[in-house]
């Protein structure tokens, strides 16, 4: 109560003073009424002011009262320069908001622990090895039989958990017709219990569900999926769920927060590992393996023995695996067996999104931090110049006995006010920007999904950032102000150079940060442009792709008939079929054997295509011919130029043969095409060969085709306009073919550049902001220094200095600092660029144009920013200045 | 405030005692009561009485209230709280032991 009344008294200080005054008056009246002399009664009190002070000080918390007074004073200072203060608040808000927004993304993707028990004890197993072309690579996928051996071997110390990627899968809940997509993950039965998860309703998968293949057709839905797909209807339990030709029964709903271990993807449905056909195959690595230490096991001592034990088991398994390496050359086997098993902490989940965006987010964090620093330097400059303008006031305060601590507090209060206002505005910016940036990571069929809660982690970061900004802003001006020597100031200006030194330093600092941002941004933008303008070798114009599935498969003749039907639709120009689209997610390679020799160390990638696919894609033939309908029996093949160069150097490949692995039938080359990117826009061309869609196997029979893509060239600019018609046509034929996914070739190409586009967009935005802020800062500093030196300039003009001399006087220092800062920024930029060189498609940091762009931008900005100051200096009227002195 | 701790201590004791005998008094009356009952030996200075009153109020020993006088002006009257009664006991026994000790010293010599 007492503390509260003191606080409230501090807030209502003037009321308190009135009350004390009134009480003293009433005392004097009483005294007079009881017969004392009024003058004597008043004298007995001594100084009324002192009595009031003494009473006042016991009834308030002194520091709070002085703090409030300082805040009020600071607020009035801010209000005095409304425009400058608003600019300061806005630029800080942009910096703080961007930082908090970037933190939200980084935290959500990389740091936030999974909502499971003991997430800090969770690791993921992967193997470091030498990949194709001798590059080091890491394989994080495991075969289920191998997993089972490892799990049983270490079950005393740790639980091993198998979790597959949450793949976007076609599912149906009732009839075949309404097919939908959901992210389906196969998990070992111990996942839910080891993670300490409880069902929302029903039951979760248990170790008993790991029984032999196909014995546990049960499905668990995630809470999130249950919520948005079924509106939390409890009757969903027991309903069937069809995937391909399998039927599962829904037995339970997972806990509310758990959306799987793949950060950035929400797992909708969990199925038992054993229900996937792949789980019996020793040669297929398809799921991740997690390791959770048992309680009471010390990670620092237990992990390495565990790693060696698991490594030995896995190595023995692969060495014995009879089916793993059939027909693979010994060198490749040696390479594949030479692996090092490693553990990575997985408490925050693991995903490709993390791998792809970890460095990008690092760069983003750097950019926003730099923008915040530039804004801080600006505002700090503003406060320094204000403090300089108030140096008389400060000197006066000190000479009448203000403590230095109070002066520091006074200025820190003002910077705290600024930082607080900026944080409030910045919070709104962060609330909007983080989801917005996330929404830009949006390949249409697999947009990134992250929970971005504004919880204590984000608030704590925001608060810490605010404190940091307060210190950055206020500390320097505060220390300078408190170091004021009253005598020197009241005498009329102390060492004028010290202030100028500080200003010069701030120019250099700001320019360095700004050039760094500009330099990195120009690299990102150039890399994006080069990637986007990369010659494709095919045309994406008006190409519609219908990715189609056919249950257990349909004969090629049925696929061709369907294509024929599509060709008849008005608006369709041509139709071809390929196994999968170029630049899609699928890539398959074969070892290539020439003339029965062992396969070369480089594999080649292939694609099944129908006749006419090349012309529909507008891929030019270099020599030879396209497929015809009769090529199936001939086992014809078409290869690209890279294939020809690698496998038939210096020869004409037409008419030659190759085999897809040792002891396989021969394929005869009938044509050579130009190179096109196959899977990734950034890669150099791969060797690729095309074979007919209806290729025959060793028994001269064509097998069923389970999935393929109709490639449709349309008349209209928007190929998607035809989707509904074509989809309906295919469904009406009732031949088992169903459209699973609709996209355009243009979208697939765009998806390849999502990351680069995101980075280029953000970098360009921050570069513009940094340039603007640096320009404003430069303007303010120069303008202020001209104001400060107006006396000197006036005298110089009066004694006959030339205009050029005045301009040099005003700008020489600034441009020297700009040059210094620019060099420092470029040097920092080289360092940073090395760390992220992998982002720069065909762009080198040392390219002349990459250096020229930021240099020109900063120079132009500097010229514009110095112009007003130069004009002001030139228009100085010496008589006026000297008269004022 | 630290200058005259002993004096202040006894001022607190006097004020608390006066208020325990006659509750709801204003500052002047308390001052007058101290003077009267001590036979004009003890005088509380106005300059220290009011800070002491306000300090004790903040400590929660006494409670203050504004009332209207017949003249129409407001005056502030004080009364003991239960914490104040307890404090009075503490102060009284401390004073007793202090004066006992001082007397003993005087007798020895």
């Amino acid at each position: 109560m007492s503390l509260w009344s003191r606080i409230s008294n501090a807030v209502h200080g003037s009321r308190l003073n009135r009350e004390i005054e009134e009480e003293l008056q009433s005392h004097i009246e009483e005294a007079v009424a009881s017969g004392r002399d009024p003058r004597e009664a008043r004298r007995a009190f001594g100084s009324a002011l002192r009595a009031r002070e003494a009473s006042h000080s016991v009834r308030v918390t002194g520091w709070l009262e002085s703090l409030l007074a300082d805040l009020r004073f600071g607020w009035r200072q801010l209000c005095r320069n409304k425009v400058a203060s608003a600019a300061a608040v806005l630029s800080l808000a942009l910096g703080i908001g961007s930082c908090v927004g970037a933190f939200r993304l980084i935290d959500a993707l990389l740091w936030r622990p999974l909502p499971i028990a003991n997430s800090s004890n969770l690791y993921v197993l992967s193997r470091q090895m030498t990949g194709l072309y001798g590059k080091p690579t890491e394989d994080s996928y495991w075969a289920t039989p191998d997993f089972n051996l490892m799990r049983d071997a270490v079950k005393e110390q740790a639980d091993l958990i198998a979790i597959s990627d949450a793949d976007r899968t076609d599912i149906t809940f009732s009839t075949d017709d309404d097919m939908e997509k959901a992210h389906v993950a196969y998990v070992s039965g111990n996942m839910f219990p080891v993670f300490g998860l409880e069902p929302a309703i029903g039951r979760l998968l248990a170790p008993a569900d790991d029984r032999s293949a196909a014995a546990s057709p049960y499905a668990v839905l995630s809470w999130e999926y249950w919520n948005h797909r079924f509106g939390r209807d409890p009757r969903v339990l027991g309903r069937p769920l069809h995937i391909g030709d399998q039927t599962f029964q829904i037995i339970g709903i997972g806990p509310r927060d758990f959306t799987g271990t793949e950060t950035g993807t929400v797992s909708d449905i969990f199925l038992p590992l054993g229900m996937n056909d792949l789980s019996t195959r020793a040669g297929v690595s398809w799921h991740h393996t997690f390791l959770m230490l048992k309680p009471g096991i010390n990670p620092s001592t237990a992990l390495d023995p565990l790693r060696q034990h698991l490594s030995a088991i896995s190595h023995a398994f692969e060495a014995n695996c009879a089916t793993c390496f059939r027909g693979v050359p010994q060198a490749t086997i040696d390479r594949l067996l030479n692996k090092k098993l490693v553990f990575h902490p997985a408490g925050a989940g693991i995903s490709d999104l993390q791998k792809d965006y970890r460095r990008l987010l690092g760069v983003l964090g750097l950019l926003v931090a730099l923008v915040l620093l530039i804004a801080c330097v600006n505002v700090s400059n503003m406060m320094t110049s204000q403090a300089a303008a108030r140096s008389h006031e400060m000197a006066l305060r000190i000479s009448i006995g203000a403590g230095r601590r109070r002066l520091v507090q006074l200025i820190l209060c003002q910077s705290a006010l600024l930082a607080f206002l900026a944080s409030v505005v910045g919070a709104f910016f962060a609330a909007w920007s983080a989801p917005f940036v996330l929404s830009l990571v949006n390949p249409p069929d697999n947009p990134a999904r992250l929970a971005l809660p504004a919880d204590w982690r984000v608030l704590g970061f925001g608060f810490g950032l605010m404190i940091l900004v307060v210190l950055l802003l206020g500390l320097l001006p505060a220390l300078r102000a408190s170091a004021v020597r009253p005598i020197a100031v009241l005498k009329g200006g102390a060492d004028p150079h010290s202030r100028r030194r500080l200003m010069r330093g701030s120019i250099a600092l700001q320019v360095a940060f700004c050039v760094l941002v500009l330099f990195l941004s120009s690299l990102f933008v150039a890399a994006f442009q080069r990637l986007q303008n990369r010659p494709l070798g095919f045309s994406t114009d008006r190409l519609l792709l219908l990715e189609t599935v056919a249950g257990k498969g349909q004969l090629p003749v049925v696929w061709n008939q369907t294509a024929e039907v599509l060709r008849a639709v008005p608006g369709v120009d041509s139709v071809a079929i390929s196994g999968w689209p170029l630049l899609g997610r699928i890539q398959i390679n074969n070892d290539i054997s020439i003339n029965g020799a062992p396969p070369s160390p480089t594999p080649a990638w292939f694609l099944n295509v129908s006749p006419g696919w090349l012309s529909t894609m507008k891929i030019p033939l270099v020599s030879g011919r396209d497929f015809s309908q009769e090529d199936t029996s001939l086992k014809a093949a078409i290869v690209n130029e890279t294939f020809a160069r690698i496998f038939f150097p210096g020869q004409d490949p037409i008419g030659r043969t190759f085999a897809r692995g040792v002891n396989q039938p021969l394929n005869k080359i009938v044509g050579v095409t130009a190179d096109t990117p196959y899977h990734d826009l950034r890669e150099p061309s791969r060797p690729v060969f095309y074979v007919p869609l209806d290729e025959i196997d060793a028994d001269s029979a064509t097998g069923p085709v389970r999935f393929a893509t109709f490639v449709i060239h349309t008349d209209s600019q928007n190929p998607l306009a035809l989707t509904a018609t074509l989809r309906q046509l295919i469904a009406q034929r009732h031949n088992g073919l169903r459209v699973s996914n609709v996209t355009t070739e243009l979208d697939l190409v765009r998806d390849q550049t999502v990351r680069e586009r995101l980075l280029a967009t953000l970098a360009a935005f921050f570069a513009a902001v940094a340039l603007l802020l640096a320009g404003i800062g430069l303007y303010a500093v120069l303008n202020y220094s001209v104001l400060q030196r107006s006396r000197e300039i006036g005298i110089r003009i009066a004694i006959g200095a030339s205009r050029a001399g005045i301009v040099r006087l005003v700008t020489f220092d600034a441009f020297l600092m700009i040059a210094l800062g620019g060099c420092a920024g470029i040097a920092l930029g080289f360092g940073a660029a090395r760390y992220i060189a992998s982002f720069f498609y065909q762009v080198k940091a040392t390219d002349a144009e990459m250096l020229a762009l930021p240099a020109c931008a900063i120079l132009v900005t500097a010229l514009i920013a110095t112009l007003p100051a130069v004009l002001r200096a030139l228009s100085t009227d010496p008589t006026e200045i000297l008269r004022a002195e | 405030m630290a200058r005259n701790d002993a004096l202040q201590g006894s001022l607190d004791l006097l004020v608390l005692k006066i208020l325990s005998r006659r509750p709801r008094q204003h500052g002047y009356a308390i001052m007058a009561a101290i003077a009267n009952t001590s036979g004009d030996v003890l005088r509380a200075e106005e300059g220290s009485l009011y800070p002491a009153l306000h300090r004790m109020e903040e400590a929660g020993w006494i409670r203050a209230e504004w009332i209207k006088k017949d003249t129409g002006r407001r005056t502030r009257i004080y009364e003991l709280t239960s914490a104040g009664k307890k404090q009075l006991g503490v102060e009284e026994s401390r004073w007793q032991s202090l004066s006992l000790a001082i007397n003993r010293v005087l007798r020895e010599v």
Side-chain angles (χ1 to χ4, degrees), chain A residues 632-652:
Chain A
T632 311
S633 48
L634 288 171
K635 287 199 75 69
I638 298 173
V639 301
N640 73 354
E641 286 179 306
T642 304
F643 186 104
R645 200 176 54 246
I646 290 179
F647 295 103
F648 301 102
Q651 307 165 40
D652 180 12

Side-chain angles (χ1 to χ4, degrees), chain A residues 173-463:
Chain A
F173 284 102
S174 45
T175 56
D176 269 5
D177 288 327
D178 43 4
M179 198 156 70
E180 50 194 286
K181 300 269 183 188
H183 287 99
V184 175
Y186 291 87
V187 303
S188 57
N190 61 349
M191 181 189 83
F192 287 109
V194 170
F195 284 174
L197 302 175
E198 296 293 334
I201 57 169
R203 76 164 179 93
L204 301 177
L205 297 175
D209 294 313
D210 280 342
R211 284 167 305 190
S212 60
S216 295
Y218 305 125
V220 169
L221 307 187
S222 76
W223 193 93
E224 162 87 19
Y225 184 66
W226 181 50
N227 183 30
H228 79 80
R229 173 64 179 79
F230 293 105
R232 278 181 265 168
D233 179 3
R235 285 170 303 176
V236 75
L237 293 186
R239 278 185 70 170
L241 161 72
H242 309 279
I243 296 180
D245 50 1
Q246 285 178 307
T247 302
F248 297 85
Q249 188 195 353
I250 299 172
I251 54 163
I253 311 296
R256 182 160 187 156
D257 298 333
F258 185 71
T259 55
T261 52
E262 199 176 335
T263 314
T265 304
V266 172
S267 302
D268 298 318
I269 300 170
F270 300 96
L271 302 177
L273 197 64
M275 293 303 293
N276 192 314
D277 307 338
L278 301 177
S279 66
T280 54
R281 311 241 317 250
V284 179
S285 300
W286 67 287
H287 58 72
H288 299 283
T289 297
F290 288 85
L291 178 143
M292 176 77 89
L293 285 177
K294 295 257 189 203
I297 302 280
N298 180 0
S300 55
T301 54
L303 277 184
D304 201 54
L306 267 177
R307 191 183 66 75
Q308 284 170 7
H309 191 181
L310 289 172
S311 182
I313 294 167
S314 173
H315 189 268
F317 169 83
E318 290 193 338
N320 293 333
C321 177
T323 56
C324 295
F325 303 115
R326 196 179 289 154
V328 177
Q330 191 56 43
T332 309
I333 294 179
D334 290 344
R335 175 173 71 80
L336 290 178
L337 281 182
N338 183 18
K339 296 174 184 173
K340 179 167 183 268
L341 192 150
V342 287
F343 294 155
H344 296 297
I350 54 151
S351 67
D352 286 344
L353 197 68
Q354 287 176 336
K355 252 183 262 167
D356 289 348
Y357 283 86
R358 183 182 301 270
R359 288 193 171 190
L360 180 144
L361 287 174
V363 174
L364 186 62
L366 178 70
L367 291 182
V368 296
L370 287 173
V371 167
L372 180 61
L373 280 176
I374 294 174
C376 279
V377 172
N378 261 1
V379 179
S380 181
N381 266 340
M382 182 189 94
M383 293 184 56
T384 308
S385 55
Q386 281 182 2
R390 283 162 59 192
S391 59
H392 270 90
E393 172 203 330
M394 292 293 170
L396 205 62
R397 280 171 185 265
I398 289 180
S399 40
I400 61 173
R404 310 254 167 190
R405 214 179 61 91
R406 247 335 266 290
L407 288 186
V408 171
Q409 182 182 315
L410 183 70
I411 289 179
L412 283 184
C413 270
Q414 199 184 343
S415 68
L417 262 180
L418 274 175
F420 177 74
L421 290 176
S423 299
V424 171
V425 181
F428 285 105
F429 184 69
W432 166 81
S433 61
F436 172 73
V437 170
L438 187 65
S439 75
L440 294 179
V441 187
N442 57 352
D445 60 340
N446 197 13
R449 286 171 71 192
L450 277 176
L452 290 167
D455 59 359
W456 62 267
R457 291 171 74 94
V458 177
L459 292 181
F461 177 81
F463 188 72

